[in-house]
Amino acid sequence: MMAEDTRPDKRASFSALTENNSNGMARTSTVISGKAGASKKLVIKNFKDRPKLAENYTEDTWLKLRDAVGAIQNSTSIKYNLEELYQAVENLCSYKVSPTLYKQLRQVCEDHVRAQIHQFREYPFFTYLFMSAESFSLWTAFPS
């Protein structure tokens, strides 16, 4: 049977329990401090600078969103993952692009309604029916 090395200068070899990690987190452990009742401490530091968006991120994201909205309006499949689209919108909003994004989305929706309603201008009664059917079909096709 092997005897344990009890010399005070020997530390356990745990790379995850180093005193100062390069990722900005400090961790105190009973293995490092040698105290039986030592408390654990976690320090989280803020980013020094906010990460910057890629130069064409806003334009590329808008094209994806426009394609997705068009697919929904035309009842075709969306070629992007909904989670990806949601994350893209959240990123744009966190970088204060939401007013521009709102204007663009509103314009796309207004253009779609104008294009669809144009065919019913001759028949005012059918405009009401169309709007009711259009709203219902969009709500049932993409439930929340």
Side-chain angles (χ1 to χ4, degrees):
M1 194 160 159
M2 294 182 78
E4 289 185 26
D5 191 358
T6 57
R7 289 183 292 173
D9 61 337
K10 283 296 233 179
R11 285 190 180 174
S13 178
F14 294 96
S15 61
L17 296 177
T18 58
E19 290 182 20
N20 291 315
N21 289 332
S22 63
N23 63 0
M25 296 175 56
R27 183 174 179 175
T28 305
S29 173
T30 58
V31 173
I32 293 172
S33 66
K35 297 178 186 175
S39 63
K40 293 182 181 181
K41 187 189 241 184
L42 177 66
V43 178
I44 300 173
K45 296 179 182 179
N46 292 333
F47 290 120
K48 294 185 191 291
D49 292 324
R50 187 176 191 183
K52 294 187 180 191
L53 289 176
E55 289 182 26
N56 56 352
Y57 181 80
T58 305
E59 293 82 20
D60 291 346
T61 302
W62 167 243
L63 294 176
K64 286 182 184 180
L65 292 172
R66 188 185 64 193
D67 290 347
V69 170
I72 291 169
Q73 291 170 338
N74 297 319
S75 300
T76 59
S77 64
I78 302 171
K79 56 183 172 178
Y80 303 105
N81 182 342
L82 293 178
E83 182 65 28
E84 176 186 353
L85 295 171
Y86 176 84
Q87 185 66 46
V89 170
E90 187 175 14
N91 290 341
L92 290 176
C93 290
S94 70
Y95 279 87
K96 311 289 188 228
V97 185
S98 53
T100 304
L101 184 60
Y102 171 77
K103 288 176 187 174
Q104 292 171 320
L105 285 171
R106 183 179 174 132
Q107 188 62 49
V108 167
C109 292
E110 286 178 358
D111 292 346
H112 174 73
V113 170
R114 279 193 197 102
Q116 297 300 316
I117 207 163
H118 179 70
Q119 60 186 329
F120 296 107
R121 284 201 173 164
E122 296 176 20
Y123 309 103
F125 174 73
F126 291 116
T127 302
Y128 171 75
L129 292 177
F130 166 75
M131 293 303 288
S132 299
E134 182 74 15
S135 298
F136 180 75
S137 68
L138 286 175
W139 282 112
T140 56
F142 296 96
S144 50

